[in-house]
Amino acid sequence: MNITAKFAIPTPISAIAPLGNGLINETFSLKAGNQRFVLQRINATVFPAPERIMANWRVLAGHLAKNNDCRLRIPALIPTHDGSDFVRDAAGNYWRMLEWIEDSVTLPQLTTTAQAREVGALLGRFHRATATLPLEQLAVTLPDFHATPLYLQRLLTVAAKNDQANQCDKIHACLEFVTARRKLAAVLDTAQRTGHITQRVTHGDPKLDNILFQQNKQQALALIDLDTVQPGLLQHDLGDCVRSCCNQSGENAEVSPHFEKGGLGGIFNLAICADILAGYAEETRAVLTAADIALIYEAIRLLPFELGMRFLTDHLEGDRYFRVTHTGQNLHRAQRQFALVADIERQRQPLQALIAERFISCAS
Ligand code: GN1
Ligand code: MG
């Protein structure tokens, strides 16, 4: 089946090439006539009902079209000739076509204060723009996506049944690291259950790769990868964004043998974090409550902890979820996330001080 021919795009179609570093979906760029587009195959093992993603996308785009004083840009969904938002191939896979945002780039890492502020501000604008979008209009695209206590439970269950886990020193060290922090897993979940914080519209995956910059690398232009736009907690987004942007050598970077002590430090970049928080705080004054702010430090610590557990579980389960280039990569990624957690803990005092400073005038 010719997938691209189903979409309402110009012809001829050429130059189809893999795009980006996503770990879940398959993404391609293509040329159609004189225009470029993005084609994606959605991972239906991860997303139980991919059509919900496109339905949420439409809801979000419609909301932004009417209420966008934040000037937030997202890629448009390109319909098929018969007006659908996706195509299913013979094997049942879901494919979608997206607008190519012209003159944009992704940044492998943030190098200036201004870029970090832009990232924080873009995420803040997303939360501000969606604060008036009723949650019941959004479907849940990925159930329990940030249910950290469930990730912990699953990891411990999988590890208990896995012989490799008992024999490998690296896995053992990771499990000790996790066990020593098991209380951390419930911190946001409990705050939500007890009514201290409430669900909002979240992006779910605001890592640096999902933020497009203008070609001059100065202004953040658009937020992409909207698969996990669904009800969630603001802290999940902010924690995840900081986790990704402040881990400056990236998710696959080398780890020291003493990763659980934060290596030799220098893993979590506090200066970048300060500017992300400054940009975010400026945009979210009217959106954040004092209870939201009180959980920011824990969220920054929690998200790398959660991702580390997810990587480790996937390693123990045979790399079924996150794409890998070699066996052991998910274990390595887990170690890197735990090293980040340890480095955040090492810098707890200055980090808490700067959260207080950045958000002080926002508390309501
Ligand atoms: C996955 O597919 P991608 O690369 O945008 C994952 C995120 C992780 C991220 C780590 C649906 O995102 O939760 O933070 O990898 N997405 C899903 O790079 O699980
Ligand atoms: Mg994604």
Side-chain angles (χ1 to χ4, degrees):
M1 184 199 279
N2 184 349
I3 300 291
T4 52
K6 302 269 181 191
F7 289 95
I9 55 175
T11 50
I13 292 164
S14 61
I16 301 189
L19 179 69
N21 314 310
L23 300 184
I24 309 288
N25 294 330
E26 279 187 78
T27 307
F28 306 89
S29 68
L30 59 91
K31 241 183 123 183
N34 293 326
Q35 286 172 261
R36 285 179 83 179
F37 292 90
V38 176
L39 175 68
Q40 286 190 304
R41 190 180 80 153
I42 301 168
N43 184 328
T45 316
V46 168
F47 294 99
E51 61 275 15
R52 288 186 197 154
I53 298 175
M54 276 64 81
N56 280 2
W57 202 302
R58 288 273 169 222
V59 169
L60 176 63
H63 178 78
L64 293 179
K66 283 185 267 155
N67 315 274
N68 200 357
D69 58 334
C70 299
R71 296 162 289 100
L72 188 77
R73 182 139 178 223
I74 58 171
L77 276 174
I78 309 293
T80 61
H81 291 295
D82 50 16
S84 171
D85 287 331
F86 56 88
V87 167
R88 291 193 76 176
D89 65 19
N93 294 307
Y94 286 70
W95 295 80
R96 68 172 172 227
M97 191 73 74
L98 304 175
E99 172 195 14
W100 173 273
I101 298 198
E102 288 296 337
D103 301 324
S104 63
V105 289
T106 52
L107 304 180
Q109 64 179 75
L110 298 177
T111 49
T112 69
T113 300
Q115 287 172 344
R117 268 191 113 89
E118 280 286 303
V119 164
L122 184 73
L123 183 62
R125 277 156 56 207
F126 176 83
H127 288 158
R128 190 152 64 81
T130 54
T132 51
L133 170 58
L135 278 186
E136 46 294 353
Q137 291 186 20
L138 293 175
V140 174
T141 61
L142 194 46
D144 296 328
F145 181 38
H146 283 300
T148 323
L150 296 185
Y151 287 123
L152 171 66
Q153 211 175 63
R154 178 156 162 201
L155 171 62
L156 298 179
T157 309
V158 170
K161 286 195 256 164
N162 190 303
D163 292 340
Q164 209 199 126
N166 297 320
Q167 288 154 14
C168 169
D169 288 348
K170 287 181 187 169
I171 297 176
H172 197 71
C174 284
L175 290 169
E176 283 202 328
F177 184 91
V178 169
T179 310
R181 289 161 183 77
R182 52 190 307 161
K183 281 197 188 139
L184 172 61
V187 65
L188 292 184
D189 203 62
T190 305
Q192 188 198 328
R193 279 175 205 282
T194 52
H196 283 84
I197 52 174
T198 52
Q199 286 201 318
R200 319 283 191 104
V201 177
T202 57
H203 177 277
D205 190 11
K207 62 182 192 181
L208 185 56
D209 276 348
N210 290 337
I211 293 168
L212 298 186
F213 272 75
Q214 285 188 351
Q215 240 158 14
N216 65 12
K217 303 187 181 165
Q218 303 291 317
Q219 284 89 33
L221 197 60
L223 203 45
I224 60 169
D225 188 353
L226 305 175
D227 296 335
T228 46
V229 168
Q230 61 179 1
L233 298 175
L234 298 181
Q235 288 83 356
H236 291 142
D237 274 356
L238 184 57
D240 197 60
C241 183
V242 165
R243 166 198 78 66
S244 158
C245 296
C246 300
N247 174 15
Q248 286 231 286
S249 325
E251 279 173 15
N252 295 310
E254 279 310 306
V255 279
S256 121
H258 306 294
F259 71 88
E260 71 277 16
K261 299 192 181 82
L264 301 171
I267 296 174
F268 181 80
N269 188 322
L270 194 66
I272 292 283
C273 182
D275 290 313
I276 293 176
L277 296 181
Y280 183 78
E282 264 171 30
E283 293 289 344
T284 50
R285 275 174 216 291
V287 175
L288 297 183
T289 65
D292 283 326
I293 295 169
L295 286 161
I296 291 176
Y297 168 72
E298 291 296 18
I300 290 175
R301 203 176 145 225
L302 179 70
L303 270 288
F305 183 63
E306 179 187 284
L307 185 59
M309 291 197 289
R310 295 172 64 202
F311 282 141
L312 184 58
T313 304
D314 200 31
H315 173 74
L316 294 172
E317 289 184 331
D319 302 322
R320 292 187 295 202
Y321 189 97
F322 295 104
R323 190 175 297 127
V324 290
T325 54
H326 55 273
T327 307
Q329 191 175 20
N330 276 324
L331 171 58
H332 184 98
R333 287 172 176 157
Q335 290 178 304
R336 179 77 191 174
Q337 291 301 315
F338 294 144
L340 197 56
V341 174
D343 203 23
I344 290 166
E345 291 170 352
R346 211 173 52 83
Q347 301 186 71
R348 178 173 64 83
Q349 281 187 342
L351 179 51
Q352 284 181 326
L354 74 86
I355 292 169
E357 192 187 308
R358 296 292 185 268
F359 289 90
I360 211 133
S361 54
C362 305
S364 58

Coordinates of all heavy atoms in Angstrom, one line a residue, residues 115-164:
Q115 N 18.7 30.7 25.4 CA 18.0 29.5 24.9 C 17.2 28.8 26.1 O 16.1 28.3 25.9 CB 19.0 28.5 24.3 CG 19.6 29.0 23.0 CD 20.7 28.1 22.6 OE1 21.3 27.3 23.4 NE2 21.1 28.1 21.3
A116 N 17.9 28.7 27.2 CA 17.2 28.1 28.4 C 16.0 28.8 28.8 O 14.9 28.2 29.1 CB 18.2 27.9 29.5
R117 N 16.0 30.1 28.8 CA 14.8 30.9 29.1 C 13.7 30.7 28.1 O 12.6 30.6 28.5 CB 15.2 32.4 29.1 CG 15.6 33.0 30.4 CD 15.7 34.5 30.3 NE 14.6 35.1 31.1 CZ 14.8 35.4 32.4 NH1 16.0 35.2 33.0 NH2 13.9 36.0 33.1
E118 N 14.1 30.6 26.8 CA 13.1 30.3 25.8 C 12.4 29.0 26.0 O 11.2 28.9 25.8 CB 13.8 30.3 24.4 CG 14.1 31.7 23.9 CD 12.8 32.4 23.4 OE1 12.2 31.8 22.5 OE2 12.5 33.5 23.8
V119 N 13.2 28.0 26.3 CA 12.6 26.7 26.6 C 11.6 26.7 27.7 O 10.5 26.2 27.6 CB 13.7 25.6 26.9 CG1 13.2 24.4 27.5 CG2 14.5 25.3 25.6
G120 N 12.0 27.3 28.8 CA 11.1 27.4 30.0 C 9.9 28.2 29.6 O 8.7 27.8 29.9
A121 N 10.1 29.3 28.9 CA 8.9 30.1 28.5 C 8.0 29.4 27.5 O 6.8 29.5 27.6 CB 9.5 31.4 27.8
L122 N 8.5 28.6 26.6 CA 7.7 27.9 25.7 C 6.8 26.9 26.4 O 5.6 26.8 26.2 CB 8.5 27.2 24.6 CG 7.7 26.5 23.5 CD1 7.1 27.5 22.6 CD2 8.6 25.5 22.8
L123 N 7.4 26.2 27.4 CA 6.6 25.2 28.1 C 5.6 26.0 29.0 O 4.4 25.5 29.1 CB 7.5 24.4 29.0 CG 6.8 23.3 29.8 CD1 6.1 22.3 28.9 CD2 7.7 22.6 30.8
G124 N 6.0 27.1 29.6 CA 5.0 27.9 30.3 C 3.9 28.4 29.5 O 2.7 28.4 29.9
R125 N 4.2 28.8 28.3 CA 3.1 29.3 27.3 C 2.2 28.1 27.0 O 1.0 28.3 26.9 CB 3.8 29.8 26.1 CG 4.2 31.3 26.3 CD 5.3 31.7 25.3 NE 4.9 31.5 23.9 CZ 5.8 31.3 22.9 NH1 7.1 31.3 23.2 NH2 5.5 31.2 21.7
F126 N 2.7 26.9 26.9 CA 1.8 25.8 26.6 C 0.9 25.6 27.8 O -0.3 25.4 27.6 CB 2.7 24.5 26.4 CG 1.9 23.3 26.2 CD1 1.3 23.0 25.0 CD2 1.6 22.4 27.3 CE1 0.5 21.8 24.8 CE2 0.8 21.3 27.1 CZ 0.3 21.0 25.9
H127 N 1.4 25.6 29.0 CA 0.5 25.4 30.2 C -0.4 26.6 30.3 O -1.6 26.4 30.7 CB 1.4 25.3 31.4 CG 2.1 23.9 31.5 ND1 3.3 23.7 32.2 CD2 1.9 22.8 30.8 CE1 3.6 22.5 32.0 NE2 2.8 21.9 31.2
R128 N 0.0 27.8 30.0 CA -0.9 28.9 30.1 C -2.0 28.9 29.1 O -3.2 29.0 29.4 CB -0.1 30.2 30.0 CG -0.9 31.5 30.3 CD 0.1 32.5 30.8 NE 1.0 33.0 29.8 CZ 0.8 33.8 28.8 NH1 -0.4 34.4 28.7 NH2 1.7 34.2 28.0
A129 N -1.6 28.5 27.9 CA -2.6 28.5 26.8 C -3.6 27.4 27.0 O -4.8 27.5 26.5 CB -1.9 28.3 25.4
T130 N -3.2 26.3 27.6 CA -4.1 25.2 27.7 C -4.9 25.2 29.1 O -5.7 24.3 29.3 CB -3.4 23.8 27.6 OG1 -2.3 23.8 28.5 CG2 -2.8 23.6 26.2
A131 N -4.6 26.2 29.9 CA -5.2 26.2 31.2 C -6.7 26.4 31.1 O -7.5 26.0 32.0 CB -4.6 27.4 32.1
T132 N -7.2 26.9 29.9 CA -8.6 27.1 29.7 C -9.2 26.1 28.8 O -10.4 26.2 28.4 CB -8.9 28.5 29.1 OG1 -8.0 28.6 27.9 CG2 -8.6 29.7 30.0
L133 N -8.5 25.0 28.6 CA -9.0 23.9 27.8 C -9.6 22.9 28.7 O -8.8 22.3 29.5 CB -7.9 23.3 26.9 CG -8.2 22.0 26.2 CD1 -9.3 22.1 25.2 CD2 -6.9 21.6 25.4
P134 N -10.9 22.6 28.7 CA -11.5 21.7 29.7 C -10.9 20.3 29.5 O -10.8 19.7 28.4 CB -13.0 21.7 29.3 CG -13.2 22.9 28.6 CD -11.9 23.2 27.9
L135 N -10.4 19.7 30.6 CA -9.7 18.4 30.6 C -10.6 17.3 30.0 O -10.1 16.4 29.3 CB -9.4 18.0 32.0 CG -8.2 18.5 32.7 CD1 -8.0 17.9 34.0 CD2 -7.0 18.3 31.8
E136 N -11.9 17.4 30.2 CA -12.8 16.3 29.7 C -12.8 16.3 28.2 O -13.3 15.3 27.6 CB -14.2 16.3 30.3 CG -15.0 17.6 30.5 CD -14.4 18.6 31.4 OE1 -13.4 18.5 32.1 OE2 -15.0 19.7 31.4
Q137 N -12.3 17.3 27.5 CA -12.2 17.2 26.1 C -11.1 16.4 25.5 O -11.0 16.1 24.4 CB -12.1 18.7 25.5 CG -13.4 19.5 25.7 CD -13.3 20.8 25.0 OE1 -12.6 21.0 24.1 NE2 -14.2 21.7 25.4
L138 N -10.2 16.0 26.5 CA -9.0 15.3 26.0 C -9.1 13.8 26.5 O -9.5 13.5 27.6 CB -7.7 15.9 26.7 CG -7.3 17.2 26.2 CD1 -6.1 17.7 26.9 CD2 -7.0 17.2 24.7
A139 N -8.8 12.9 25.6 CA -8.8 11.5 25.9 C -7.4 11.2 26.6 O -6.5 11.9 26.4 CB -8.9 10.7 24.6
V140 N -7.4 10.0 27.2 CA -6.1 9.5 27.8 C -5.4 8.7 26.7 O -6.0 7.7 26.2 CB -6.3 8.7 29.0 CG1 -5.0 8.1 29.5 CG2 -6.9 9.6 30.1
T141 N -4.3 9.2 26.2 CA -3.7 8.5 25.0 C -2.7 7.4 25.5 O -2.5 6.4 24.9 CB -2.8 9.4 24.2 OG1 -1.8 10.0 25.0 CG2 -3.7 10.5 23.6
L142 N -2.2 7.6 26.7 CA -1.3 6.6 27.3 C -1.6 6.4 28.8 O -1.1 7.2 29.6 CB 0.2 7.0 27.1 CG 1.3 6.0 27.3 CD1 1.0 4.7 26.6 CD2 2.6 6.5 26.7
P143 N -2.4 5.4 29.1 CA -2.8 5.3 30.6 C -1.6 5.1 31.5 O -0.6 4.4 31.1 CB -3.7 4.0 30.5 CG -4.1 3.9 29.1 CD -3.0 4.4 28.3
D144 N -1.6 5.6 32.6 CA -0.6 5.5 33.7 C 0.8 5.9 33.2 O 1.8 5.4 33.7 CB -0.5 4.0 34.2 CG -1.8 3.6 34.9 OD1 -2.4 4.5 35.5 OD2 -2.2 2.4 34.7
F145 N 0.9 6.8 32.3 CA 2.2 7.2 31.7 C 3.1 7.7 32.7 O 4.3 7.4 32.7 CB 1.9 8.3 30.6 CG 3.1 8.8 29.9 CD1 4.2 7.9 29.6 CD2 3.2 10.1 29.6 CE1 5.3 8.4 28.9 CE2 4.3 10.6 28.9 CZ 5.4 9.8 28.6
H146 N 2.7 8.5 33.7 CA 3.5 9.0 34.7 C 3.1 8.5 36.1 O 3.3 9.2 37.1 CB 3.6 10.5 34.7 CG 4.5 11.1 33.6 ND1 5.8 10.7 33.5 CD2 4.2 11.9 32.6 CE1 6.4 11.3 32.5 NE2 5.4 12.0 31.9
A147 N 2.6 7.3 36.1 CA 2.2 6.7 37.4 C 3.5 6.0 38.0 O 3.7 4.8 37.9 CB 1.1 5.6 37.2
T148 N 4.3 6.9 38.6 CA 5.6 6.4 39.1 C 5.6 5.2 40.0 O 6.4 4.3 39.9 CB 6.4 7.6 39.7 OG1 6.1 8.8 39.0 CG2 7.9 7.3 39.7
P149 N 4.6 5.2 41.0 CA 4.6 4.1 41.9 C 4.4 2.7 41.1 O 4.9 1.7 41.5 CB 3.3 4.3 42.8 CG 3.2 5.8 42.8 CD 3.6 6.3 41.4
L150 N 3.6 2.8 40.0 CA 3.5 1.6 39.2 C 4.7 1.2 38.5 O 5.1 0.0 38.4 CB 2.3 1.7 38.2 CG 0.9 2.0 38.7 CD1 -0.1 2.0 37.6 CD2 0.6 0.9 39.7
Y151 N 5.5 2.1 38.1 CA 6.8 1.8 37.5 C 7.7 1.2 38.5 O 8.5 0.2 38.2 CB 7.5 3.1 36.9 CG 6.9 3.6 35.6 CD1 6.4 4.9 35.6 CD2 6.8 2.8 34.5 CE1 5.9 5.5 34.4 CE2 6.2 3.4 33.3 CZ 5.8 4.7 33.3 OH 5.2 5.1 32.1
L152 N 7.7 1.7 39.7 CA 8.5 1.1 40.8 C 8.1 -0.4 41.0 O 9.0 -1.3 41.1 CB 8.4 1.9 42.1 CG 9.0 1.3 43.3 CD1 10.6 1.3 43.2 CD2 8.7 2.2 44.6
Q153 N 6.8 -0.5 41.2 CA 6.3 -1.9 41.5 C 6.7 -2.9 40.4 O 7.2 -4.0 40.7 CB 4.8 -1.8 41.5 CG 4.1 -2.7 42.4 CD 2.6 -2.4 42.4 OE1 2.0 -2.5 41.3 NE2 2.0 -1.9 43.5
R154 N 6.5 -2.4 39.2 CA 6.9 -3.3 38.0 C 8.3 -3.6 38.0 O 8.7 -4.8 37.8 CB 6.4 -2.6 36.7 CG 6.7 -3.4 35.5 CD 5.8 -3.0 34.4 NE 6.4 -3.4 33.1 CZ 6.0 -2.9 31.9 NH1 5.2 -1.9 31.9 NH2 6.5 -3.3 30.8
L155 N 9.2 -2.6 38.2 CA 10.6 -2.9 38.2 C 11.0 -3.9 39.3 O 11.7 -4.9 39.0 CB 11.4 -1.6 38.5 CG 12.9 -1.7 38.7 CD1 13.6 -2.3 37.5 CD2 13.5 -0.4 39.1
L156 N 10.4 -3.7 40.5 CA 10.8 -4.7 41.6 C 10.3 -6.1 41.3 O 11.0 -7.0 41.6 CB 10.3 -4.1 42.9 CG 10.9 -2.8 43.3 CD1 10.4 -2.3 44.7 CD2 12.5 -2.8 43.4
T157 N 9.2 -6.2 40.7 CA 8.6 -7.5 40.3 C 9.5 -8.1 39.2 O 9.8 -9.3 39.4 CB 7.2 -7.3 39.8 OG1 6.4 -6.5 40.7 CG2 6.5 -8.6 39.6
V158 N 9.8 -7.4 38.2 CA 10.6 -7.9 37.1 C 12.0 -8.3 37.6 O 12.5 -9.4 37.3 CB 10.7 -6.9 36.0 CG1 11.7 -7.3 34.9 CG2 9.4 -6.6 35.3
A159 N 12.6 -7.5 38.5 CA 13.9 -7.7 39.0 C 13.9 -9.0 39.8 O 14.9 -9.8 39.8 CB 14.4 -6.6 39.8
A160 N 12.9 -9.2 40.6 CA 12.8 -10.4 41.5 C 12.8 -11.7 40.7 O 13.3 -12.7 41.2 CB 11.6 -10.3 42.4
K161 N 12.3 -11.6 39.5 CA 12.2 -12.8 38.7 C 13.3 -13.0 37.7 O 13.4 -14.0 37.0 CB 10.9 -12.7 37.8 CG 9.6 -13.0 38.6 CD 8.4 -13.2 37.7 CE 7.6 -12.0 37.6 NZ 6.7 -11.8 36.6
N162 N 14.3 -12.1 37.7 CA 15.3 -12.0 36.7 C 16.7 -12.5 37.2 O 17.2 -11.8 38.1 CB 15.3 -10.6 36.1 CG 16.2 -10.5 34.9 OD1 17.4 -10.9 34.9 ND2 15.6 -10.0 33.8
D163 N 17.2 -13.5 36.7 CA 18.5 -14.0 37.2 C 19.6 -13.1 37.0 O 20.5 -12.9 37.8 CB 18.9 -15.4 36.5 CG 17.9 -16.5 36.9 OD1 17.3 -16.3 38.0 OD2 17.8 -17.5 36.2
Q164 N 19.6 -12.4 35.8 CA 20.6 -11.5 35.4 C 20.7 -10.4 36.5 O 21.8 -9.9 36.8 CB 20.1 -10.8 34.1 CG 21.1 -10.3 33.2 CD 20.5 -9.3 32.2 OE1 21.0 -8.2 32.1 NE2 19.5 -9.7 31.5

